Amino acid sequence: MAQARLIALDWGSTRLRAFLLGDGGEVLATRQSNDGAATLSGADAYAGALADLVGDWRADHPGIRLLACGMVGSQYGWREAAYVRCPADAAALADQLLQVDGALSIVPGLVDDAAQPDVMRGEETQIVGALALRPELADDALLVLPGTHSKWARVKDGRVTGFATHMTGELFALLRQHSVLNRLMPADGSSPASPEAFLKGVDAAREEGGLAHQLFAVRTLGLFKQLGAEQLPDYLSGLLIGHEIASELRAVTPARIALVGDPALCARYAQALVHLGQPEPLLLDNTAPAGLWALAQTMNLT
Amino acid sequence: MAQARLIALDWGSTRLRAFLLGDGGEVLATRQSNDGAATLSGADAYAGALADLVGDWRADHPGIRLLACGMVGSQYGWREAAYVRCPADAAALADQLLQVDGALSIVPGLVDDAAQPDVMRGEETQIVGALALRPELADDALLVLPGTHSKWARVKDGRVTGFATHMTGELFALLRQHSVLNRLMPADGSSPASPEAFLKGVDAAREEGGLAHQLFAVRTLGLFKQLGAEQLPDYLSGLLIGHEIASELRAVTPARIALVGDPALCARYAQALVHLGQPEPLLLDNTAPAGLWALAQTMNLT
């Protein structure tokens, strides 16, 4: 087996992902479990989840260090790591690593408190990874990390100068599953994608009237059969993503935009951005392993 | 007992309210049950719910007519009543009454299809009632009916010229009960009202950034203890109501605003409107009985 140098842990609310990284930070092996931070309580539970997933890696590579990012460092996590204030770069994050024990450290989150405070945990590491993989982004870029709580981070001269969270993914799930809009829709996951309905939703988001009003149209467009039942989830998705994009691009005109994360979701955002007149954005898959490697290098953990 | 002339039924999704109306439309007796349209399926269930609640009224007043409004007339209701197109007045609604049997009729809903279609069922009757009780509103007014799905109806020369629905109440309930924002809040209903936090939310709605972003601040303001846990529900309420009001007042400057419905909720909207520089709005309680009486008079049902 190639020389293993670091166990990188992307430990979010719903999942724990582990990456065994080699000499140049290359991924030698990957594993994941459903032991997300939201399902665990107390240090023993975290230690147990970690042993279950990567105990044998640690046994095979005595003395190997572990670096974790994400909700594992929240106030409900294993231990609470700091929030580093924006503007911040990789060195500022590395400075505030929380040492859990001799082997394991947790990356701090970021806070933007220029206006009402906004926070991230996990995405700061993905941003470090994106900048390590694509140094041309460091000058001036907008990094978008879509998800349950999407993050829009402004990067300038290698530092995150500020960011905003949008609860877009969570709103979609709530409305899809629990609201009156659910009634006219097919069961979750059973409908083929409708790019046409998605873009119709993106267009609707540009109109006046407010989101809480436009959401009701998901119901009426179904009621009056102007959209098929199977198109309604994509229309809803377009409406929410369209609002998110419009809010952000009202404030900033970035030199370039990069989308980081789940490829299918990033493709959806890219489609909306291009539809709204933006150039084709750069697409990056999960950059957490690259970010953890870069932070570990900064601190000579490997 | 005074002469009974009509059984008025305000039959929404969650509740059935019955009013025994006398000679001048005055309320002689009131009853309600939880047999809302959302809990009933099939004509027999509706007929049974009606007999349970007002069977004795009908026996005591042979030949008395019944007039119902609300979701009882939806496609999932007892029978589907029409949607009358805006602009529409009381006469246009009365023209389209759906006769269920010799005694019972259902008031049609309204549709505004100037842009994407928007619909109401029940509120059209409350509007008719408000105009009957307060004729000075008929010239030029904005009638606001706050609730799960708030309605903003523009009235001009005695007709509803158009309206918009906002899913404000439903969003509040979803976010309060099912979202990540719930975690920092006290259990539902257990916190005293905080007018200060409510108005702070109304103010936040005036900022740039978009609703899905501003919602996340409910979490971070709690996380950083800038608001107490017991203040967060009111901040959330202010944020959502503030967005609703801002969206509507961007488009229209009405001669007067009237709030119709639940007094506590209407008081909340009034507080926000005044805070945003509007004159003190007119407040009206449930006007459905007055509306049903007016429509029944139009059709000589009494």
Side-chain angles (χ1 to χ4, degrees), chain B residues 1 88 139 162 206 260 279:
Chain B
M1 188 185 274
D139 262 8
R206 306 161 84 174
V260 183

Side-chain angles (χ1 to χ4, degrees), chain B residues 105-167:
Chain B
S105 301
I106 299 178
V107 179
L110 276 183
V111 58
D112 175 353
D113 56 5
Q116 287 181 324
D118 205 331
V119 293
M120 61 168 65
R121 279 200 189 279
E123 294 89 353
E124 73 295 323
T125 302
Q126 292 193 59
I127 294 169
V128 169
L131 299 184
L133 293 169
R134 297 295 188 120
E136 71 271 24
L137 292 171
D139 262 8
D140 180 12
L142 193 53
L143 267 60
V144 185
L145 300 98
T148 305
H149 296 164
S150 298
K151 309 289 180 184
W152 289 65
R154 299 176 291 283
V155 171
K156 187 102 186 167
D157 302 329
R159 303 191 305 171
V160 178
T161 58
F163 63 89
T165 302
H166 292 257
M167 293 180 58

Side-chain angles (χ1 to χ4, degrees), chain A residues 116-117 165 170 180 213 220 235, chain B residues 116-117 165 170 180 213 220 235:
Chain A
Q116 287 181 323
T165 302
E170 183 161 5
V180 70
H213 166 57
T220 52
Y235 181 83
Chain B
Q116 287 181 324
T165 302
E170 182 161 6
V180 69
H213 166 58
T220 52
Y235 181 84

